[in-house]
Amino acid sequence: MKAIYLSGHGGNDVVHIGERPAPQRQPSDVLIHMHASTLNQVDLYMRNSGAGITHQLPQTMGIEGFGHVAACDADSGLALGDGVLLHPGISCGTCEFCLRGDDVLCTRIALLGEHRDGAWSEWVSVPARNVMRAPSYLSPFEAAALAVTHLTAWRMVVTQGQLKPRQTVLIFGIGGGVSVAALQIAHAIGAHAIVTSRHAHKLTHAQDMGAALGIHTPHDDVVKSVMAFTQKRGVDLVIENVGEAVWGEAMKSLVRGGRLVTCGATSGDQPPADLRRIFIRQLQILGSTLGNRQELHDLLAFCEQHQLRPVIDRVFPMHQVHDALDVMSSATQFGKIALDLTA
């Protein structure tokens, strides 16, 4: 089958489009004819080094996707031709975390495109529990984005962040997929969202989507802007995936007892802890990655209720994957970069 795969680590020279062995469906698995996927930061990380992630080369790339059921067991709850999306975490089902329903914390989890062959291929076979019907009102590319970017944002904003209507959330780096998804979810909840960006046009786009305030970070002071907007109170929740470069601003923007949820460290992973601020103001610092299968079910129901559509910046055919990765590296997109796995 045709697939996009890694032969090593480095730049686009190690990313190839060619033949890979087709998966053999096992009992209880679902064979899916893939249609669409979107790019995530981990795709760049796997290309660049993959350090710390156990994997074997060559390896098919891509952590998530949308496709149509080609084969499944009669008791799977699915039917041939169903449009489905993939939860990328293949969990063991037997460890303490799986047994309590938080399979994303599984001690033996294997993620598509990281620990095992991924979704950027003609065919994928995964356990039926990792396959869910996609909302029918979404395009293949919109549906593909839900199971990583929006699921990550859902766990950050709803599960970990406990955001409620009329509360205020500060979202760093609007334009990236998780930040845009967090804005959509927060706005649908009925919260007030403040967003930051180095790019004025991204702030304009975010405000068109419902952001209450945009902070242009080359010119505006984040903490002063937040305190002016909240009448010196601070925000209830901070959503960030930047790390060291914004950590001080994030901490100082929180109300007493506020919550900071982080899912990344693109600017560095060793920020000053500021422990006095944490214990005196009784702040909560929460880590978050992806989300479990129940959270994906809840997210899909939420999307149906609010007719939420992931923002797709642009779509690339499979043979232009190098161009797609270059755009991802440049961080110029607003929303998701998608791949058409049929082209």
Side-chain angles (χ1 to χ4, degrees):
M1 66 173 182
K2 185 168 71 171
I4 299 168
Y5 65 93
L6 291 171
S7 63
H9 300 293
N12 281 339
D13 57 307
V14 303
V15 178
H16 308 278
I17 305 169
E19 291 297 314
R20 292 279 287 147
Q24 301 300 308
R25 188 180 81 89
Q26 302 300 313
S28 300
D29 280 6
V30 177
L31 181 66
I32 300 161
H33 189 199
M34 297 302 296
H35 185 145
S37 185
T38 66
L39 275 66
N40 295 281
Q41 284 294 329
V42 72
D43 299 314
L44 290 177
Y45 184 76
M46 292 302 296
R47 182 200 68 178
N48 295 345
S49 73
I53 297 175
T54 302
H55 62 286
Q56 294 182 335
L57 297 173
Q59 179 169 286
T60 302
M61 299 180 69
I63 193 171
E64 37 89 306
F66 166 92
H68 294 91
V69 174
C72 60
D73 292 346
D75 61 356
S76 67
L78 299 166
L80 299 184
D82 278 350
V84 295
L85 51 85
L86 310 178
H87 185 290
I90 313 301
S91 56
C92 72
T94 59
C95 72
E96 62 173 296
F97 305 103
C98 287
L99 292 177
R100 75 185 193 196
D102 211 1
D103 46 273
V104 73
L105 296 177
C106 174
T107 57
R108 294 187 291 278
I109 196 167
L111 292 167
L112 297 175
E114 295 187 44
H115 309 97
R116 56 181 282 167
D117 280 335
W120 291 358
S121 58
E122 289 184 85
W123 304 94
V124 170
S125 184
V126 295
R129 65 178 181 270
N130 287 79
V131 181
M132 300 180 194
R133 285 192 181 88
S136 59
Y137 69 94
L138 296 178
S139 74
F141 308 104
E142 292 168 336
L146 290 176
V148 173
T149 301
H150 278 68
L151 179 57
T152 298
W154 178 264
R155 187 174 178 95
M156 294 179 77
V157 173
V158 177
T159 305
Q160 304 285 61
Q162 295 289 302
L163 187 66
K164 301 294 189 293
R166 295 181 296 281
Q167 289 187 336
T168 304
V169 56
L170 170 62
I171 303 169
F172 280 92
I174 198 67
V178 171
S179 297
V180 173
L183 169 60
Q184 290 183 299
I185 293 167
H187 182 62
I189 287 172
H192 307 293
I194 302 171
V195 300
T196 78
S197 178
R198 294 172 294 171
H199 307 285
H201 72 279
K202 293 186 179 183
L203 296 175
T204 299
H205 197 161
Q207 289 175 296
D208 289 342
M209 291 175 60
L213 176 68
I215 302 174
H216 193 202
T217 51
H219 306 293
D220 301 331
D221 184 285
V222 171
V223 178
K224 288 181 180 178
S225 299
V226 166
M227 291 304 167
F229 182 84
T230 62
Q231 298 180 332
K232 299 184 179 180
R233 177 182 179 273
V235 300
D236 300 281
L237 176 64
V238 168
I239 297 294
E240 77 88 26
N241 57 17
V242 179
E244 194 167 332
V246 305
W247 194 258
E249 297 169 326
M251 299 277 279
K252 292 175 183 177
S253 295
L254 282 168
V255 69
R256 290 174 178 270
R259 305 170 299 283
L260 186 157
V261 185
T262 180
C263 73
T266 55
S267 68
D269 61 0
Q270 299 294 320
D274 200 0
L275 290 178
R276 288 188 183 90
R277 180 176 296 274
I278 291 173
F279 66 71
I280 290 172
R281 300 181 70 86
Q282 300 193 43
L283 305 178
Q284 300 176 59
I285 312 300
L286 301 160
S288 193
T289 299
L290 199 60
N292 60 44
R293 293 194 301 274
Q294 182 57 52
E295 287 169 323
L296 182 53
H297 279 293
D298 295 342
L299 168 64
L300 294 177
F302 183 86
C303 289
E304 290 273 12
Q305 177 186 354
H306 296 279
Q307 294 292 287
L308 189 151
R309 288 183 176 275
V311 177
I312 304 300
D313 183 87
R314 68 194 83 176
V315 178
F316 288 88
M318 205 171 178
H319 68 271
Q320 291 182 5
V321 64
H322 289 175
D323 295 332
L325 289 166
D326 286 343
V327 173
M328 187 75 179
S329 297
S330 72
T332 56
Q333 78 278 9
F334 190 96
K336 297 294 290 181
I337 303 161
L339 279 179
D340 186 343
L341 301 176
T342 68

